[in-house]
Amino acid sequence: MNELLHLGPLSDDALEAAADFHARLLPGIEATLSGGADPLTLVFLPAPCDLRHEHRAWRLAAVQGLARRFAPSRVNAVESDEREAVTAAQRWLDGAGGVTGQLLPLDGNGAGGVLYPAA
């Protein structure tokens, strides 16, 4: 099954968050991928609504860079603080073998059985 790596919390300031990610978290992520984690999904907490666009660029660039560096291993990321939404995305990514280098913002509101079918 797709391995999840929960990241955060990170600063609301995009530059501070990116610097913290690269200095503190990236070495561990690279070690996890070098150790054979495949596929790996990074789980970011959502950025504040008014700052989402500022965080999206650095997060997407980091995920795409990891996917290129560790290919053919698959690396993706989701943005959510909802356990059920993350679990549903994990199941979906398990069946989506060609998906890598993606940053998926999740919102499970109103999805009901579509995202959370009975197991």
Side-chain angles (χ1 to χ4, degrees), residues 26-109:
L26 186 58
I29 294 167
E30 291 174 325
T32 299
L33 287 163
S34 294
D38 180 26
L40 177 66
T41 299
L42 307 177
V43 181
F44 289 100
L45 293 172
C49 290
D50 58 333
L51 300 174
R52 284 187 183 152
H53 65 281
E54 295 181 19
H55 288 267
R56 181 160 177 75
W58 75 261
R59 290 175 175 186
L60 181 58
V63 172
Q64 289 173 337
L66 288 165
R68 282 190 295 272
R69 180 177 296 162
F70 290 95
S73 295
R74 293 189 307 127
V75 183
N76 291 291
V78 297
E79 296 173 320
S80 183
D81 57 0
E82 299 177 28
R83 184 183 58 79
E84 295 86 2
V86 171
T87 300
Q90 180 184 29
R91 281 194 311 266
W92 183 82
L93 286 166
D94 281 341
V99 176
T100 190
Q102 302 301 307
L103 175 61
L104 308 172
L106 305 180
D107 180 3
N109 292 331

